[in-house]
Amino acid sequence: MFGCLVAGRLVQTDPVQVSSDKFVFNLPDYESVKHVVVFMLGTVPFPADMGGAVYFSFPDPVTGGPVWQLLGFITNDKPSAIFKISGLQAGEGGAHPFGSSSSFSSSSSSGAQVGVSVEPLQQLVQQIPVSGASVSTVDSFLQFTQKMLDSLFNYAASFAVTQNQISPNRAETFIPSSCVLRWYENFQRRMAQNPNYWKN
């Protein structure tokens, strides 16, 4: 029913079912993990008006017991979600529906778990995930475009010379840096007004 994906690792599609409506993925060596993706396999949908609360659990550095934190949720309409876990703090654990039914692997002190609890949608939308778990919704292509333009402008500006420094060269065409700067500033202004501008 569920899958869990971490970059550089095999996809997990066989969670431990700890009760009729609760599932747990083991996540060894979680210190090296920045993000996790939890998704539905498409084989079994949630029952009507139900969804899955996604939790992350890791050993408390003091007591060694599990600290559970709510990351967010998935539904039939939003069957996958990516969560940032690299910045979560040990002291921010809260209430969770797993009780003591799930346990950490005794073979690794770096064991963590990702849990999915099937709950009513009305309850899911009222829950508040732990701060820092959400991932930026800014389009990755937009981020790439902005960084690429920054790099292009900085690279071109590194060749800037004054009119007095220009050597006559009939094989070269010179473009005023001010026109590139004006275009770049205009692009940034339009992106701020309409983030989907680049798609037009």
Side-chain angles (χ1 to χ4, degrees), residues 9 28 31 44 63 68 70 83 92 118 124-125 132 182 188 192:
R9 301 188 185 184
E31 295 93 341
V44 181
T63 66
W68 287 92
L70 176 65
F83 304 104
E92 295 185 13
V118 179
L124 292 177
V125 297
R182 283 196 303 271
Q188 286 188 312

Side-chain angles (χ1 to χ4, degrees), residues 56 58 69-72 83-93 127-135:
F56 176 66
F58 57 96
Q69 298 180 339
L70 176 65
L71 300 179
F83 304 104
K84 180 180 178 182
I85 64 172
S86 58
L88 301 184
Q89 302 297 319
E92 295 185 13
Q127 297 174 341
I128 301 175
V130 64
S131 61
S134 62
V135 176

Side-chain angles (χ1 to χ4, degrees), residues 18-19 22 24 55 57 65-68 94-104 113 117:
V18 295
S19 69
K22 293 174 179 57
V24 172
Y55 290 83
S57 174
V67 176
W68 287 92
H96 62 87
F98 292 93
S100 59
S101 58
S102 56
S103 59
F104 290 92
Q113 293 177 318
S117 174

Side-chain angles (χ1 to χ4, degrees), residues 7-167:
R9 301 188 185 184
L10 293 174
V11 177
Q12 295 188 55
T13 58
D14 55 346
V16 177
Q17 186 170 358
V18 295
S19 69
S20 62
D21 57 357
K22 293 174 179 57
F23 305 81
V24 172
F25 294 96
N26 290 314
L27 192 64
D29 301 320
Y30 76 94
E31 295 93 341
S32 63
V33 178
K34 293 184 178 181
H35 300 86
V36 295
V37 178
V38 178
F39 58 95
M40 298 178 66
L41 298 177
T43 54
V44 181
F46 285 112
D49 299 320
M50 301 291 282
V54 180
Y55 290 83
F56 176 66
S57 174
F58 57 96
D60 185 282
V62 178
T63 66
V67 176
W68 287 92
Q69 298 180 339
L70 176 65
L71 300 179
F73 62 88
I74 56 176
T75 66
N76 289 331
D77 293 330
K78 191 186 81 166
S80 65
I82 180 172
F83 304 104
K84 180 180 178 182
I85 64 172
S86 58
L88 301 184
Q89 302 297 319
E92 295 185 13
H96 62 87
F98 292 93
S100 59
S101 58
S102 56
S103 59
F104 290 92
S105 170
S106 59
S107 62
S108 174
S109 60
S110 300
Q113 293 177 318
V114 174
V116 179
S117 174
V118 179
E119 301 174 5
L121 291 177
Q122 186 176 6
Q123 180 178 329
L124 292 177
V125 297
Q126 294 176 355
Q127 297 174 341
I128 301 175
V130 64
S131 61
S134 62
V135 176
S136 173
T137 57
V138 176
D139 190 284
S140 59
F141 184 77
L142 172 59
Q143 289 180 324
F144 168 76
T145 302
Q146 290 177 323
K147 289 181 179 180
M148 180 185 67
L149 291 174
D150 282 336
S151 177
L152 173 61
F153 179 78
N154 291 334
Y155 176 77
S158 70
F159 295 96
V161 294
T162 65
Q163 282 189 330
N164 294 333
Q165 295 172 319
I166 296 177
S167 300

